[in-house]
Amino acid sequence: NSSESHNCAKSILTSDRLQIVVTLSEFFNETWEAANCANCLKNSSEGLSNSTVEFLDLFNKSLTCFEHNLQGQTIYLSPNNYTEVCKNCNETYKMLNDLYNNLQRMNGQGGESEHSAHLCIDVEDAMNITRKLWSRTFNCSVPCSDTVPVIAVSSFILFLPIVFYLSSFLHSKQKKRILILPKRIQSNASLVNIQEKYS
């Protein structure tokens, strides 16, 4: 009976003490939502979105490049000498990083998927793995190009108080104290004579 189907399903799902079917269903739904899995799919959930396929393709190319440049050299390389990897895989890594940044920007504006919170966990984990390999394992981080101007401006700002106090010391006229000596008070006898003259 269609009117009783809901109650029938409810009684079957909650028939055991642990309600294992309901618990598993809630767990998988919460995991799906927390991992933003829908953001890797097209709106109709027919398959992976074009941007996700493009990203995963570049991710695989990056890992292949890392492996190719390490083959036969790992025995001879010191832990901090991965210049071949940094040089040969720089372009692939830069393309992957730029694509990831664009996907983040698009996702914030509502991209291919109807959900717009974060990128799906597969894309985020793949980028985290690549960045960790690039910066920590291979030590390929590119030095910041703004370092010299920042140091120059910081030095100038720190030097300003010294210039200010030095110039104020040099250009200020130090006034010498002129002592005004009081006239000595005349004796009482002369004061009496003066008063007598005027009286």
Side-chain angles (χ1 to χ4, degrees):
N1 199 351
S2 60
S3 61
E4 296 177 357
S5 63
H6 179 69
N7 292 333
C8 181
K10 188 175 180 182
S11 63
I12 290 173
L13 290 174
T14 60
S15 59
D16 62 314
R17 184 172 60 86
L18 292 177
Q19 299 180 5
I20 193 70
V21 176
V22 175
T23 304
L24 285 175
S25 174
E26 288 175 354
F27 169 75
F28 286 122
N29 286 334
E30 286 173 8
T31 305
W32 180 270
E33 291 295 325
N36 299 300
C37 293
N39 288 344
C40 278
L41 305 175
K42 294 177 182 175
N43 285 337
S44 55
S45 298
E46 293 173 354
L48 292 175
S49 64
N50 296 335
S51 57
T52 305
V53 171
E54 185 184 356
F55 177 85
L56 292 176
D57 183 48
L58 261 177
F59 171 67
N60 290 330
K61 283 181 182 174
S62 298
L63 291 185
T64 305
C65 183
F66 294 162
E67 290 172 10
H68 177 71
N69 285 283
L70 288 173
Q71 279 181 348
Q73 300 178 5
T74 51
I75 300 169
Y76 307 105
L77 286 176
S78 66
N80 295 324
N81 188 13
Y82 294 106
T83 52
E84 288 298 313
V85 176
C86 299
K87 185 173 67 175
N88 296 335
C89 302
N90 185 35
E91 189 175 337
T92 311
Y93 174 77
K94 191 173 182 301
M95 286 169 57
L96 181 71
N97 196 44
D98 291 343
L99 178 61
Y100 179 77
N101 291 335
N102 289 337
L103 288 176
Q104 274 189 319
R105 201 175 307 113
M106 279 174 37
N107 202 46
Q109 299 167 352
E112 288 181 67
S113 72
E114 55 198 13
H115 306 276
S116 61
H118 295 277
L119 294 172
C120 72
I121 198 71
D122 293 337
V123 172
E124 288 185 348
D125 279 352
M127 195 65 221
N128 286 342
I129 289 166
T130 313
R131 284 177 173 171
K132 194 172 181 181
L133 284 171
W134 185 258
S135 60
R136 291 187 188 173
T137 306
F138 303 137
N139 200 20
C140 294
S141 54
V142 180
C144 182
S145 60
D146 295 338
T147 307
V148 174
V150 167
I151 291 173
V153 170
S154 301
S155 302
F156 176 73
I157 290 172
L158 289 173
F159 194 64
L160 275 178
I162 297 170
V163 171
F164 173 75
Y165 285 113
L166 188 63
S167 62
S168 66
F169 175 76
L170 293 175
H171 293 296
S172 65
K173 293 180 181 178
Q174 294 185 355
K175 296 179 180 178
K176 294 181 180 178
R177 291 184 182 177
I178 300 170
L179 295 177
I180 301 173
L181 296 174
K183 294 181 180 178
R184 293 190 178 212
I185 300 175
Q186 296 174 350
S187 64
N188 289 338
S190 60
L191 284 175
V192 170
N193 291 339
I194 293 170
Q195 287 175 355
E196 285 177 355
K197 282 181 184 178
Y198 291 107
S199 59

